[in-house]
Amino acid sequence: MPTMTKEPRELLFADKATLQMLKRAKTENIDTIWDRYDAVQPQCKFGSLGVCCRICSMGPCRINPNGKEPQTGACGANVDTIAARSIARMIAAGTAAHSDHGRGVAHTLLLAAEKPNFDYQIKNPDKLKAIASIYGVKVDSRPINEIAKEVAQAALEEFGRSEGEIRIASTAPKARQELWRKLGIFPRSIDREVVETMHRTTMGVDADYKNLMKQGMRTALADGWGGSMVATEISDVLFGSPTPLRSRANLGVIEPENVNIIVHGHEPTLSDMLAIVSKDEGLIAKAKAAGAKGIGLAGICCTANEILVRHGVPLAGNFMQQELALLTGAIEMMVVDVQCLMPSVATVANCFHTKLVTTSSKAKMAGVRHIEFDEAVGKKIAMGLIEEAIENFSHRQTERVFVPKETEQLVAGFTTESVFHHLGGKYRGTYRPLNDAIMSGRLRGAAGVIGCSNPRVDYESGHIKMVKELLKNDVLVVSTGCNAITCAKHGLLRPEAAVEFAGKGLQEICRAVGIPPILHVGGCVDNSRILRTLTNICTEGGLGNDLSDLPVAGAAPEWMSEKAVAIGFYFVASGVFTVIGHPLPMMGSANLHKYLTDEIEEEVGGKWVFEPDAVEAAHKMIRHIDEKRKALKLKPPMYEQPLPYEA
Ligand code: SF4
Ligand code: MSK
């Protein structure tokens, strides 16, 4: 039943396509995420503050946030324990999600290595060899499949090892690895850390909030320097490393004349195959025979990012636009894999002729058609899906089709490796010119701005205000996930955006090498590219020995998912100043708050900052960057603009 009773909220920062589709939702009397978010207000304060525990059946217990009784749960757990356990579980969930993605691609690599004529082949043998060297797999003149098999096995061992260290984390700066060892937070393996976090947070185990956060960091590191890194690296081997390419973003990429298929979720395996077979001449001929102009493939969320950066497939939209794409009435099929799938897409698809198909045994929806994806017959499944979409074209109700015209041009597909070809000069594979630009003050620093969009804020205002403020102050922005999609829709991934939005120093660099001021490096798991890029900057020299020395900061201004909590924690544990808009759900614990936003810096060099004002959040990041510049005794920023005084 629709819950919408009032006019859509005024969204000051939303792109025009979103605004048009929200009006359309109202006309069609179909609820969207904005309506449902409003309908669940006011939200539970106990939950928001992290003072509610329901991990055993003596509960749920909730602590009085005003200091009155009760101040412990039935078992005696205090607010610090309750809040820390809850945060640790969020980290475990986020780590599990990213890492299962990594496990999936590692498994596909193993199959590709073992089976001749497999649908997936090794597209990037150079990257395979680079990973082989991390895992100590001999390369010499061995057949590529032998190397791939051993690399895949080594990658899969990262998940289940009981003791030792995650081997791919050895790519972190030496000083950082030593610190993790000293603190006892070097992750042993991915599954081991997730399991231990779940164990420690069950009733009656770890009651020390700092000890819980220590394990939380270890688990998060198993994500960033483990599962996510495996996902990125092996995806590059199997599907090819991204290279900078042009494409377009926003709902206007959906052409009503086409048979339209939207892919949504996070994983690249099926969507990469769909991107390939959507160009199949036989299928295109079938689409034409059905009365369409051709086959239109576009994406939502990180599945979109994965096939954008490798195939140039356009971005239909971000997390908040998944229902809006269906509301166009021009989508024959939405194919979903895992993560960030709102169950509401089933309801919206049912209002139109759209076929919704789930493809992972891990992510089904009641009553929704399920076609289990199997890599062994990946091509056959992908072709079958497209054929079904073509058949569905005739069921389209043309009178209900409304597609906004808005699109923006973009350049995406930067990687740890290609960054130095662009920022480091065309002829030398080196980060030297990038380091020099920072050291000279032409670039004030760099920021990773990432993460979800969220109905909690004026749509996209957090992302847009923050990145524009950073660019204006000569901070190069590197982006992934839905932030990258938002920036694309707002024209910030065009090289010309440097002239329009960047400060003089950043403008000079972008003009010289022809890059946008925001570098789109992929989906959420590709935050691992940011970790590796930062490591390369350290290795290049002149900016300290550890990630915590660098004049950089990270942010997820509109975060929503537990995965963002895991990402934030692995950045903090890697030494990065990390800002989010809405605070973590733990503000009811003064001790935990103090630890995460202050004391933790002493231990790991990074810390959390909660700042809902996106411009002020950017200023906090810039002040931090300036402090790091001073500590490194660098020159002041070349074109420094004074920031407002911090109260
Ligand atoms: Fe309550 Fe303790 Fe059980 Fe949590 S673990 S629900 S605080 S009794
Ligand atoms: S898709 S995790 S809403 S960034 Fe990666 Fe977007 Fe956040 Fe999902």
Side-chain angles (χ1 to χ4, degrees):
M1 282 289 289
T3 55
M4 186 164 51
T5 51
K6 53 185 183 195
E7 290 298 315
R9 304 186 225 171
E10 198 183 3
L11 302 173
L12 301 176
F13 280 78
D15 60 277
K16 285 189 190 139
T18 294
L19 292 174
Q20 289 172 37
M21 292 316 295
L22 285 176
K23 275 198 191 141
R24 169 131 173 95
K26 179 132 183 81
T27 320
E28 292 275 348
N29 202 24
I30 295 173
D31 278 352
T32 66
I33 174 78
W34 283 273
D35 305 306
R36 291 187 302 274
Y37 178 76
D38 286 347
V40 296
Q41 302 306 315
Q43 289 173 318
C44 171
K45 291 241 166 25
F46 297 98
S48 305
L49 294 169
V51 299
C52 173
C53 179
R54 53 177 189 82
I55 63 175
C56 88
S57 86
M58 293 188 282
C61 303
R62 51 192 207 186
I63 305 298
N64 187 319
N66 300 319
K68 297 184 185 148
E69 290 304 318
Q71 284 301 301
T72 65
C75 67
N78 66 16
V79 71
D80 304 328
T81 304
I82 288 173
R85 280 195 304 217
S86 158
I87 297 294
R89 286 193 165 202
M90 292 180 90
I91 300 171
T95 299
H98 284 145
S99 300
D100 235 18
H101 173 163
R103 190 195 315 260
V105 285
H107 180 67
T108 307
L109 179 65
L110 185 62
L111 294 177
E114 286 177 341
K115 296 182 187 234
N117 308 320
F118 191 59
D119 280 356
Y120 296 89
Q121 294 294 318
I122 290 139
K123 288 220 178 116
N124 190 343
D126 289 341
K127 184 97 188 219
L128 177 71
K129 287 174 190 167
I131 305 171
S133 73
I134 297 168
Y135 284 130
V137 171
K138 272 203 190 130
V139 172
D140 303 328
S141 51
R142 295 174 73 201
I144 209 72
N145 279 22
E146 272 183 26
I147 302 169
K149 184 171 176 180
E150 286 179 31
V151 166
Q153 284 166 338
L156 287 167
E157 276 169 24
E158 301 279 38
F159 293 85
R161 184 182 304 112
S162 284
E163 294 300 336
E165 293 178 345
I166 288 186
R167 292 171 72 190
I168 202 164
S170 65
T171 53
K174 292 281 170 282
R176 183 62 27 185
Q177 293 182 50
E178 284 313 312
L179 181 66
W180 292 338
R181 285 186 193 108
K182 194 176 118 207
L183 295 172
I185 61 171
F186 203 122
R188 292 157 290 190
S189 71
I190 297 151
D191 295 354
R192 169 96 203 242
E193 302 314 344
V194 172
V195 167
E196 186 166 319
T197 296
M198 294 309 288
H199 174 194
R200 286 205 207 188
T201 55
T202 197
M203 194 271 149
V205 188
D206 200 346
D208 175 341
Y209 68 98
K210 288 190 182 175
N211 205 40
L212 280 159
M213 287 300 92
K214 204 169 134 184
Q215 174 59 17
M217 285 193 278
R218 198 178 200 184
T219 308
L221 289 170
D223 175 353
W225 294 92
S228 282
M229 199 166 273
V230 165
T232 298
E233 299 294 290
I234 294 191
S235 292
D236 284 356
V237 171
L238 273 174
F239 311 119
S241 283
T243 47
L245 45 71
R246 287 187 182 274
S247 187
R248 291 175 307 138
N250 215 343
L251 295 167
V253 304
I254 299 164
E255 294 184 32
E257 302 79 21
N258 281 337
V259 169
N260 286 309
I261 299 156
I262 294 279
V263 287
H264 174 25
H266 268 75
E267 293 190 349
T269 318
L270 170 57
S271 52
D272 196 89
M273 192 58 85
L274 281 167
I276 293 167
V277 302
S278 66
K279 306 240 165 60
D280 181 272
E281 285 183 10
L283 287 175
I284 293 172
K286 280 190 185 172
K288 286 184 177 164
K293 191 176 87 179
I295 297 167
L297 184 67
I300 299 276
C301 280
C302 284
T303 299
N305 285 322
E306 295 275 0
I307 54 173
L308 163 75
V309 298
R310 297 195 173 89
H311 297 277
V313 171
L315 301 167
N318 61 20
F319 171 73
M320 296 286 285
Q321 290 175 292
Q322 53 190 285
E323 296 160 300
L324 306 187
L326 300 180
L327 267 156
T328 61
I331 307 302
E332 275 54 58
M333 183 177 279
M334 178 181 262
V335 181
V336 300
D337 50 80
V338 290
Q339 303 171 25
C340 300
L341 320 169
M342 290 197 261
S344 63
V345 288
T347 314
V348 184
N350 271 339
C351 297
F352 296 89
H353 73 301
T354 308
K355 287 193 175 186
L356 177 65
V357 181
T358 57
T359 58
S360 166
S361 58
K362 297 169 198 154
K364 295 187 179 181
M365 295 184 200
V368 169
R369 175 109 193 276
H370 183 75
I371 299 177
E372 187 94 5
F373 180 62
D374 176 358
E375 301 95 327
V377 282
K379 188 172 178 187
K380 193 172 158 211
I381 289 174
M383 291 189 87
L385 287 168
I386 293 184
E387 281 184 351
E388 251 193 63
I390 294 170
E391 279 164 26
N392 197 26
F393 186 68
S394 63
H395 298 125
R396 194 191 277 185
Q397 297 166 271
T398 36
E399 70 287 358
R400 288 181 73 205
V401 170
F402 173 77
V403 183
K405 298 261 177 294
E406 275 66 31
T407 65
E408 262 299 352
Q409 301 291 319
L410 65 93
V411 174
F414 295 89
T415 61
T416 310
E417 296 81 4
S418 72
V419 161
F420 62 63
H421 284 298
H422 289 267
L423 291 170
K426 287 192 168 66
Y427 307 109
R428 283 189 309 148
T430 169
Y431 272 67
R432 192 71 256 151
L434 172 59
N435 283 33
D436 285 348
I438 296 172
M439 289 165 74
S440 69
R442 183 163 273 118
L443 273 186
R444 197 162 181 166
V449 186
I450 63 148
C452 325
S453 42
N454 190 326
R456 190 182 283 287
V457 299
D458 187 4
Y459 181 49
E460 301 187 324
S461 62
H463 293 295
I464 298 303
K465 285 183 187 172
M466 175 180 282
V467 296
K468 284 189 175 170
E469 195 62 21
L470 292 167
L471 298 183
K472 194 171 95 186
N473 285 284
D474 289 326
V475 175
L476 176 73
V477 174
V478 181
S479 174
T480 62
C482 286
N483 173 275
I485 300 175
T486 292
C487 292
K489 289 193 299 163
H490 289 262
L492 295 162
L493 300 191
R494 294 169 303 127
E496 306 78 46
V499 182
E500 293 159 36
F501 301 106
K504 212 170 160 203
L506 177 56
Q507 232 180 78
E508 285 170 5
I509 289 181
C510 292
R511 273 185 163 157
V513 287
I515 54 165
I518 300 178
L519 302 179
H520 183 335
V521 298
C524 293
V525 295
D526 297 322
N527 288 315
S528 67
R529 295 194 202 277
I530 301 178
L531 296 174
R532 292 286 276 275
T533 300
L534 296 179
T535 303
N536 288 352
I537 294 173
C538 276
T539 310
E540 187 63 47
L543 291 170
N545 298 320
D546 195 357
L547 307 183
S548 53
D549 297 329
L550 298 173
V552 299
E558 299 185 25
W559 76 281
M560 160 287 293
S561 167
E562 287 166 318
K563 292 177 284 174
V565 181
I567 294 168
F569 266 96
Y570 71 64
F571 272 102
V572 168
S574 300
V576 178
F577 182 91
T578 301
V579 186
I580 55 174
H582 190 70
L584 294 172
M586 38 101 331
M587 295 295 276
S589 164
N591 284 332
L592 184 57
H593 178 254
K594 186 167 172 31
Y595 177 62
L596 294 180
T597 59
D598 179 11
E599 295 160 356
I600 199 170
E601 194 174 21
E602 281 287 304
E603 295 172 9
V604 293
K607 68 174 179 178
W608 285 92
V609 176
F610 308 142
E611 177 52 67
D613 178 328
V615 173
E616 175 51 21
H619 289 167
K620 284 188 159 77
M621 294 161 81
I622 298 165
R623 288 187 199 107
H624 171 81
I625 284 170
D626 287 350
E627 275 170 27
K628 291 292 169 185
R629 293 188 66 86
K630 269 192 207 139
L632 288 164
K633 300 195 173 29
L634 301 180
K635 292 176 194 161
M638 210 176 261
Y639 306 107
E640 184 168 357
Q641 301 175 44
L643 295 176
Y645 175 73
E646 189 180 25

